[in-house]
Amino acid sequence: MQEKILGALETVIDPELGIDIVNLGLVYEVELDDDGLCTIKMTLTTMGCPLTDYLSDSINTAVMKLPEVEDVEIDLVWYPQWNPEMMSRYARISLGIG
């Protein structure tokens, strides 16, 4: 089920960078409990990111499309602090980071 959730989250694109939040390394953990509650532990590239509401809405829309999911809870964390090394190889190549 984690793969299905991560697949849904790969459709959520950070509009500033043009890369999805999974490949950016923003998603730390996903869980689905027996009641259909999907908990997503994630961070943002910076504290006070102006896209927080946009990303939250996009995440909810994407994950709620999965029939197993009844509700979504986003647990926004700041540790470990995000850094560019958390990005996938795909993201680094797309952004021209060596």
Side-chain angles (χ1 to χ4, degrees):
M1 192 62 217
Q2 277 188 331
E3 291 302 316
K4 284 176 102 173
I5 296 168
L6 289 172
L9 292 173
E10 285 181 339
T11 68
V12 178
I13 306 298
D14 181 306
E16 290 181 326
L17 299 174
I19 306 289
D20 68 85
I21 61 173
V22 174
N23 279 293
L24 282 174
L26 299 178
V27 178
Y28 293 163
E29 184 179 311
V30 295
E31 293 181 2
L32 182 67
D33 71 13
D34 292 336
D35 296 323
L37 173 63
C38 178
T39 304
I40 300 165
K41 184 177 176 182
M42 65 173 290
T43 195
L44 299 171
T45 55
T46 60
M47 289 182 113
C49 174
L51 297 172
T52 303
D53 291 338
Y54 169 82
L55 290 174
S56 293
D57 291 344
S58 297
I59 289 166
N60 275 293
T61 299
V63 176
M64 287 298 294
K65 289 180 181 177
L66 299 173
E68 299 88 349
V69 176
E70 296 295 325
D71 197 11
V72 178
E73 182 178 295
I74 300 170
D75 184 10
L76 200 56
V77 298
W78 301 108
Y79 183 82
Q81 183 177 359
W82 181 87
N83 66 71
E85 293 173 6
M86 295 174 151
M87 291 189 289
S88 71
R89 183 174 183 271
Y90 161 78
R92 286 193 300 270
I93 290 170
S94 295
L95 295 173
I97 298 172

